[in-house]
Structures are given as C-alpha cells and as structure tokens.
Amino acid sequence: MAGNLSRRDWIRESKQLLAHAGWWGEKQVLDPATGQMVTTTFNPARLQLIYDTNTRQAAAQGQWERIQRSKASHPYLRYMTMRDDRVRAEHAQWDNVTLPADHPFFQTHFPPCGWRCRCRVTQVSQEDYDKGQTPAGAAMVKTAPVAQTREFTHQRTGDVSMVPAGVDPGFGAIPTQAARLRELDALVQEKLKSAIPAIANAAQYEGLTLQSAAATYAEKARLALPGNENKMPPLILSPVAEGALSGSTMVLDNASFHKSEHTRRLVEHAGCQLLYLPPYSPDLDPIEKLWANLKRRWRKVGGALEEMIVGSDYLLD
C-alpha cells in the first residue's frame, strides 16, 4: 500500500509471494487448538477481501480523524447505506440516522460495520441538522436506535462474547490508532492461546510486553559500551523462555552477529545447542532465495537499494 499499488497489482504480488512460500491454493494444516487437520485457502477472492477490508478500514480511520478536526462546524454524522437489495437488513434500519459525532451509537456503529460493508457516514452542519432533511429530501432520523447485542462464540477457541447486533465481530469500534492497537492486542492473545504453552509463555514474556522489550534494549546498550564486549551477559531470557529452549538445538545461518560471543554465551546459558548451516546453503535457508528474488526484481525496474529496502516492508509483511 505504501507504494500506491492498485488492487490488481497487490493481488498479483501477494500471489507470487504466497506461491513461493507454498501457501497458494488449498493447504491442509494442523490446528493446534483442536488437534485436527483443517483446510486453509488463499485464492484471488480471499486476497480481494483482505485488500478491500484494509483499505476501507484505513479510509474510515482517516475520515474519523477529519471528523474530529471539523466537528466544530459540522457536529453531526448521518449514517448512509447504498439503499439497494444487497444492504443488510440491520444496516438498512440505520439509514439516515443523524446524531452528534460523539454519540455512543457511532462508537460501535461507525462504518464499515462488517465484511464487505459499503455503508458510510457524512458530516452534517448545525444548519442542515435543524432543517431535518437530507439533500435528497428524506427526513433525518434524530433518535438513536435501541442498542442491541448478540452472543458470539469463537469457532476455534470457544470463547463467548457479546457484540452489537448487525456488526460483525472485530468491527464494533471506531478504527482509531488506539482502537486498532486494542484489536491487535486481542488478536495476539487469541493466537497465543493456540500455541504450545511454553512457547506462548515465552513470547508473552519476551517479545510482547513493553517492559521486557525495554529491558532487553537497555542491556544491549550496556554491552555495547567500551570494555563490556567480553563480559558474560546477565540473564536476558526469562525462566519460561529458558525452559522452552533448554535441551533443544538452534539452527542459525552464518551472519556475523549469529557467531558473536554474546550470542553464543546467551544461547548456551539457556541450555540450548548451536548448529550453524554450511557457508552457502540456499536450500536450507529459504530467506536467501527470498532476498535473491527481491533483489532481482528491483534490478529489473532499475530501483535503488534504498527503494528495495523500503519496498520490502510490504512484501515481507
């Protein structure tokens, strides 16, 4: 998206990456939460849904930020549907509902309100609100709909939660940065539930908490000071992480930092054995093929190294 790709370009590039990784089409995978084999599918329809949902959510976030900046002159929002036979019945009931921008209704019903939702909102000035009619002559609905919720059971985890009726799970919040972070945090916690407990606990402790991340960076900074290069690093890994690594073998390529004394001591301190790949082994290290293909693609279009590094952000996400 950072490169202003069209939907067709994004789908084409994503298909190539997924096919290279062996994920294109139908694939049988083991669901750690249930222990059963399930089928996952990556096809053009799914990529189109991913693209459309993310672009609509990004547009909604930008619109909400503009609403906050201009609500002094346009303090109301009017909910609008496409008014055709594809509109959900619940969404049709909200058409022309016009309420203050900060009304609780829009905290849970700011479009898009679900997958493939085409609804939108438009700002309304005080003068137009007082007139009580839309530009097409329809009457504005100035009473908030009765708040209704429904029970939602997650198919994989079995967790039960209450969500607004007519709003798909995951869409019942204004797509602000803070709301997005909360959604991402909930997604991380959901993913960790299906991981191996030792690994999930280690990830929770090491990589997913601000405190541990700050401690790790502070320790790296201390070791970088002159005279500290050969000092035995204090324990950075948590006891949980050590338990997950103890007795295992860690396979690394020949990057210089992988062979540093710091890395060796830290890993061996956790009771883990180090095994290095042969000097050049692209078949054993898929990342080498990925970077080779990426560099070849950039050479064809005449891009510079800096452009390749920036472009790799979306190619590797």
Side-chain angles (χ1 to χ4, degrees):
M1 301 306 297
N4 294 321
L5 289 177
S6 68
R7 182 170 67 180
R8 180 182 301 175
D9 293 336
W10 184 84
I11 290 177
R12 182 183 65 250
E13 296 288 337
S14 299
K15 178 181 177 181
Q16 292 176 356
L17 290 174
L18 289 166
H20 179 75
W23 282 99
W24 187 251
E26 291 189 355
K27 186 177 179 66
Q28 294 288 324
V29 295
L30 179 65
D31 186 343
T34 63
Q36 298 178 347
M37 297 299 295
V38 296
T39 301
T40 182
T41 303
F42 274 103
N43 53 25
R46 184 173 182 182
L47 291 183
Q48 179 176 326
L49 178 61
I50 293 172
Y51 182 94
D52 289 348
T53 301
N54 280 275
T55 52
R56 288 174 182 174
Q57 289 285 71
Q61 179 176 338
Q63 183 183 23
W64 178 255
E65 292 172 355
R66 292 192 299 274
I67 289 170
Q68 296 305 302
R69 292 195 298 266
S70 59
K71 64 182 180 181
S73 61
H74 290 71
Y76 298 93
L77 297 180
R78 179 164 63 93
Y79 195 101
M80 301 172 62
T81 70
M82 296 300 290
R83 304 186 184 116
D84 57 23
D85 56 1
R86 294 170 53 194
V87 176
R88 298 170 173 85
E90 298 94 337
H91 297 193
Q93 297 175 7
W94 308 331
D95 191 39
N96 283 333
V97 167
T98 308
L99 301 167
D102 294 327
H103 192 282
F105 173 78
F106 290 115
Q107 299 297 315
T108 53
H109 295 75
F110 192 88
C113 293
W115 304 102
R116 298 186 176 89
C117 175
R118 300 169 297 147
C119 299
R120 63 191 189 280
V121 295
T122 186
Q123 288 184 266
V124 177
S125 66
Q126 183 67 55
E127 180 181 0
D128 289 338
Y129 179 82
D130 292 340
K131 292 178 181 177
Q133 287 188 331
T134 70
M140 294 180 182
V141 180
K142 299 183 178 182
T143 302
V146 178
Q148 296 180 337
T149 59
R150 65 180 179 87
E151 189 177 273
F152 169 72
T153 302
H154 196 285
Q155 293 182 356
R156 294 186 66 250
T157 64
D159 291 340
V160 178
S161 59
M162 302 302 294
V163 299
V167 179
D168 290 346
F171 288 84
I174 295 175
T176 59
Q177 185 66 22
R180 180 172 175 80
L181 290 176
R182 288 194 296 271
E183 292 287 335
L184 289 174
D185 181 65
L187 177 63
V188 167
Q189 299 305 320
E190 177 187 325
K191 294 292 185 183
L192 289 178
K193 288 180 181 180
S194 61
I196 298 173
I199 294 178
N201 291 337
Q204 179 71 43
Y205 186 92
E206 295 296 335
L208 301 176
T209 64
L210 179 61
Q211 293 84 353
S212 63
T216 299
Y217 281 115
E219 178 57 24
K220 287 181 179 179
R222 187 191 70 80
L223 291 172
L225 295 175
N228 288 346
E229 296 88 349
N230 297 320
K231 290 183 179 180
M232 177 66 183
L235 187 62
I236 295 178
L237 297 178
S238 69
V240 175
E242 279 205 331
L245 291 174
S246 181
S248 61
T249 299
M250 182 177 293
V251 181
L252 299 176
D253 61 23
N254 289 273
S256 59
F257 55 86
H258 285 165
K259 292 191 171 183
S260 69
E261 187 69 11
H262 182 187
T263 299
R264 184 187 66 79
R265 290 182 177 180
L266 181 62
V267 174
E268 292 181 353
H269 191 274
C272 181
Q273 180 181 357
L274 278 172
L275 177 63
Y276 293 102
L277 294 173
Y280 182 71
S281 50
D283 293 334
L284 301 177
D285 191 5
I287 192 66
E288 293 193 22
K289 286 186 176 180
L290 177 61
W291 279 115
N293 291 334
L294 185 60
K295 288 187 287 186
R296 183 168 59 252
R297 183 176 304 173
W298 246 262
R299 290 192 188 103
K300 287 183 179 179
V301 299
L305 176 62
E306 292 79 5
E307 294 174 341
M308 182 190 75
I309 294 173
V310 173
S312 66
D313 287 343
Y314 82 87
L315 286 174
L316 298 178
D317 278 348

